[in-house]
Amino acid sequence: MTPMTATTSVETLTTKERSPQLAQVTSVSQLSDVQPTDWAFQALQSLVERYGCIAGYPDGTYRGNRALTRYEFAAGLNACLDRVNELIATASADMVNKEDLATLQRLQEEFGTELATLRGRVDALEATTAELEANQFSTTTKLSAQVIMAASDTFGDDVEDNTVLQTRMRFNFLSSFTGTDQLQVRLQAGNFSAFDYVGNITNEGQIAYATGTDNDVVIDNLNYSFQVGDNLRVWLLANSGEYDDVFDIVDNLITDTNVGAIGNLSFNPIYNAGGQNAGIITEFSITEALKLGLGYQAGNAEDPAPGNGLFNGSNSFLGRLEYGTDRFKVAFAYLHTYDEALNTTEQGSIRSLVEVTDADGSTRSVVGNHYGVEAQFDITPGIRIGGWAGLSKAIVLGLGDADVWNYALSLSFPDLGKEGNLLNIIVAVEPKLTGTSGFTVADGDGVERRRDPDTGLHVEASYRYQLTDNISVAPGVIWLTAPGHDSDNSDIVVGTLRTTFEF
């Protein structure tokens, strides 16, 4: 509730509209109002001028020179009674004369019913507050939870139609010890399985919120962030760290795959390249609009075996520069990775992973230099256009190099039809191998090529309907043309109906 400031005269009441906060408490009176010409009004005015006991509003007035409801008047009278009692309790009784005490007694008798009702409400509020404080989950920790239930199916000549019902549950524990820091512990469980075309056709078209733990509860995310000065934020990641969990990756209407996009291609895939598990991320606010982000993550930070650990195994280093205003945002990113495969996520063609296995079965390590740009623009409050482009230049150690491209254009309509609703449309090219030198890459059928032969599109549309503040339903469809960037493969359609519960 907005704090009130003291005023010293009932005459300062203006003719402005009545405060909603005050009206909620005082408008129940069906009795006649207290007019400025009434003796009670003038008596209270005199007390206010002497003791400064009525609280006003942020603009320094009590919103009047009008009649007050009896409960509104009683609120002011109660404030004066408290002020006089305070003076008496602090040995300042000589500041209160007998005439004022008599006036207060007369006012108290006439408005006794209203004062009793007002104080009863305050007592009830205090009791409710005490009960909430006694039974709250924690004084330092907030708990939020989310449950997703999704019915999905795939359609196409090269896939088996099979409708499935899958779920994911997340419980977030957010703790703060200083007011500017945050410890996040996220527990997760789910029973998602990848669609059957993965491994033989393409990695495209996977569901973004797919989590497969056989419904075992695991610690999905553990990190601690804190503020250093006014401009620097630091995140320490213990496991399952993801750059998109820290940075406000453009476009957030798409990237929030819990309630936004339904496909795994919800932001530039370069952010998922390389080893991601534990590490450190920082973001420095150069100006209010310009931010610089730096990060380092390791893929097997917990493994003491040779070739692993925090610095000797798979890893990634990120540098990111973002400029944003209320309506426009653009960001440039560079990611350097060292891994067994260029991209370990289920996105793009199988060849675009640029994973090379020697005759003895050993896998060549891959160094990647990834470049990305993303932007969004709010045409109106209800229309946003966004998109990104990314280039990954892979160096397979001892063999040669390769280029992998991806790009996308998105269109979002927030609050379409109702507040909280969201229509998203995405047209994208998932990671595509455009050329290699010194080696070839095999697809799922073992066919060796230096590039993906064609260009397939990822076309996605979803509409979230906000049933209540806590429940939303989002039907969506993904259409893959030339899956695996190979026109020999028949189109694939993925349909899903996502229901999200948040509390």
Side-chain angles (χ1 to χ4, degrees), residues 86 95 137:
E86 179 185 347
M95 296 179 60
F137 172 73

Side-chain angles (χ1 to χ4, degrees), residues 7 78 90 150 165 174 196 223 233 265 308 335 382 431 444 456 465 495:
T7 181
N78 189 65
T90 56
L165 177 64
L174 302 177
D196 63 355
N223 66 78
R233 188 78 180 176
L265 191 71
N308 291 289
L335 190 69
Y465 183 78

Side-chain angles (χ1 to χ4, degrees), residues 20-203:
Q21 299 100 318
L22 192 57
Q24 186 178 5
V25 176
T26 63
S27 63
V28 294
S29 175
Q30 301 301 316
L31 303 175
S32 60
D33 294 340
V34 183
Q35 303 294 329
T37 55
D38 293 346
W39 77 268
F41 189 103
Q42 295 174 4
L44 183 59
Q45 174 185 333
S46 178
L47 293 171
V48 169
E49 291 174 344
R50 254 195 300 281
Y51 302 106
C53 51
I54 284 186
Y57 293 84
D59 61 0
T61 71
Y62 196 63
R63 302 283 170 93
N65 199 15
R66 55 168 174 77
L68 303 178
T69 68
R70 292 180 66 86
Y71 281 102
E72 199 170 14
F73 185 89
L77 175 58
N78 189 65
C80 280
L81 288 170
D82 290 342
R83 175 58 178 159
V84 170
N85 285 331
E86 179 185 347
L87 292 173
I88 294 174
T90 56
S92 302
D94 56 336
M95 296 179 60
V96 183
N97 60 49
K98 293 182 179 180
E99 290 79 7
D100 291 341
L101 290 175
T103 300
L104 281 170
Q105 183 176 359
R106 184 181 173 188
L107 290 169
Q108 191 171 8
E109 290 173 354
E110 181 159 340
F111 293 88
T113 301
E114 291 80 10
L115 285 170
T117 302
L118 180 66
R119 290 168 178 170
R121 289 172 180 165
V122 173
D123 291 343
L125 181 61
E126 289 178 347
T128 301
T129 302
E131 182 179 357
L132 289 173
E133 290 177 347
N135 295 282
Q136 64 181 335
F137 172 73
S138 170
T139 58
T140 60
T141 303
K142 294 181 179 181
L143 170 63
S144 63
Q146 182 187 81
V147 176
I148 291 178
M149 302 177 65
S152 308
D153 202 347
T154 58
F155 307 92
D157 295 339
D158 297 322
V159 297
E160 295 290 337
D161 299 345
N162 192 16
T163 303
V164 294
L165 177 64
Q166 300 169 316
T167 61
R168 187 193 74 183
M169 296 168 285
R170 278 182 172 177
F171 299 89
N172 265 299
F173 298 85
L174 302 177
S175 304
S176 180
F177 309 100
T178 67
T180 60
D181 65 338
Q182 178 176 280
L183 173 67
Q184 179 186 15
V185 180
R186 186 169 73 192
L187 305 181
Q188 179 171 269
N191 62 0
F192 278 82
S193 297
F195 292 125
D196 63 355
Y197 56 75
V198 171
N200 55 47
I201 297 178
T202 182
N203 288 315

Side-chain angles (χ1 to χ4, degrees), residues 193-325:
S193 297
F195 292 125
D196 63 355
Y197 56 75
V198 171
N200 55 47
I201 297 178
T202 182
N203 288 315
E204 301 163 289
Q206 291 302 305
I207 298 299
Y209 35 87
T211 297
T213 68
D214 291 328
N215 282 331
D216 293 335
V217 178
V218 299
I219 298 179
D220 171 62
N221 204 332
L222 176 60
N223 66 78
Y224 177 67
S225 65
F226 56 92
Q227 197 73 21
V228 179
D230 295 331
N231 300 324
L232 180 62
R233 188 78 180 176
V234 179
W235 289 263
L236 302 178
L237 312 175
N239 79 317
S240 300
E242 295 182 359
Y243 291 116
D244 61 289
D245 282 341
V246 173
F247 297 116
D248 187 15
I249 304 290
V250 179
D251 162 2
N252 58 4
L253 294 177
I254 300 292
T255 57
D256 186 358
T257 52
N258 302 317
V259 291
I262 61 171
N264 208 25
L265 191 71
S266 57
F267 56 88
N268 197 324
I270 70 166
Y271 286 100
N272 283 333
Q276 294 192 42
N277 189 351
I280 182 172
I281 298 176
T282 64
E283 185 173 63
F284 181 76
S285 298
I286 302 172
T287 66
E288 185 176 351
L290 189 63
K291 297 179 181 179
L292 174 65
L294 299 173
Y296 173 83
Q297 293 192 63
N300 299 294
E302 79 289 350
D303 190 348
N308 291 289
L310 192 59
F311 301 107
N312 295 323
S314 299
N315 61 72
S316 65
F317 173 80
L318 174 71
R320 184 174 184 271
L321 188 65
E322 175 188 305
Y323 176 82
T325 65

